[in-house]
Amino acid sequence: MAVTDEAIEKIKGMIVSGALRPGDRLPKESELASDLGLSRNSLREAVRALSLIRILDVRQGDGTYVTSLDPQLLLEALSFVVDFHRDDTVLEFLAVRRILEPAATAMAALRISEQQLDALTAQLDKLGDAPSVEELVACDLDFHRGIVQSSGNSVLCSLLDGLSGPTTRARIWRGLTQEDAVSRTLHEHRAILGALRDRDGEAARSWATVHIASVEQWLRSTL
């Protein structure tokens, strides 16, 4: 194992074991290196690597701290990596979204508040019957994010937020080239919202699946 990898594993072990908790300040570099049997250089590299993936927070002049380890914070790294996707992997991202998002939508049916439902309805009403493709896609992102947040699962929400980026361009492309894409999307949004109002988790799951699968099917036919 490379020296830096060993240092990363040792710090990880301290966090997993509870020796270091969210918000804790790490011991001084010299002390920690000695305690872990590491060189200060390898420890420094490990701290730098762990700060890049939001495990540690290096504060100049104050020290190094364990972050909150909140899922949304940790999964920022996923969003960064996802941005490097190739066009030929968009279908794979859509397939993952088709697996996860309907489940989140079904969960939301049992948890979403009337106030949140009213806000989603107002959002669709404001959009109107003939929005531009760009307006529709922007609303689509906010619409689904609002529903997934209502699922009550922060990890699922962060995962889907990270996966939404690669499919945005495909959704815009579909809106510009498929004749009924805008009207179909609006209809499917209303159907999902109706299922949520009825507190019908299975109907919400089904409509969310149809909604995502329609983009996936269109893209597969054009590639």
Side-chain angles (χ1 to χ4, degrees), residues 115-136:
Q115 185 179 10
Q116 289 168 310
L117 287 168
D118 290 342
L120 290 171
T121 300
Q123 184 184 55
L124 292 181
D125 290 343
K126 183 179 179 181
L127 195 62
D129 296 328
S132 69
V133 172
E134 290 77 10
E135 289 172 334
L136 179 64

Side-chain angles (χ1 to χ4, degrees), residues 20 36 40 42:
L20 286 173
L36 296 179
R40 294 179 68 170
S42 61

Side-chain angles (χ1 to χ4, degrees), residues 136-174:
L136 179 64
V137 171
C139 177
D140 187 69
L141 291 170
D142 287 341
F143 181 81
H144 292 291
R145 183 180 292 116
I147 292 172
V148 172
Q149 286 174 342
S150 299
S151 72
N153 189 311
S154 60
V155 174
L156 191 54
C157 185
S158 297
L159 279 171
L160 284 166
D161 216 30
L163 290 169
S164 66
T167 64
T168 301
R169 186 164 57 176
R171 281 180 273 180
I172 292 174
W173 182 19
R174 179 195 181 210

Side-chain angles (χ1 to χ4, degrees), residues 66-137:
V66 180
T67 67
S68 65
L69 302 180
D70 181 79
Q72 187 171 3
L73 181 69
L74 298 181
L75 287 168
E76 280 182 9
L78 172 65
S79 299
F80 180 77
V81 172
V82 161
D83 284 339
F84 289 95
H85 78 281
R86 304 185 313 274
D87 286 347
D88 60 355
T89 62
V90 173
L91 279 170
E92 295 180 13
F93 283 108
L94 278 167
V96 174
R97 188 178 163 218
R98 177 167 44 82
I99 293 167
L100 297 178
E101 192 162 316
T105 306
M107 291 165 65
L110 303 177
R111 295 173 173 83
I112 193 166
S113 68
E114 290 296 325
Q115 185 179 10
Q116 289 168 310
L117 287 168
D118 290 342
L120 290 171
T121 300
Q123 184 184 55
L124 292 181
D125 290 343
K126 183 179 179 181
L127 195 62
D129 296 328
S132 69
V133 172
E134 290 77 10
E135 289 172 334
L136 179 64
V137 171

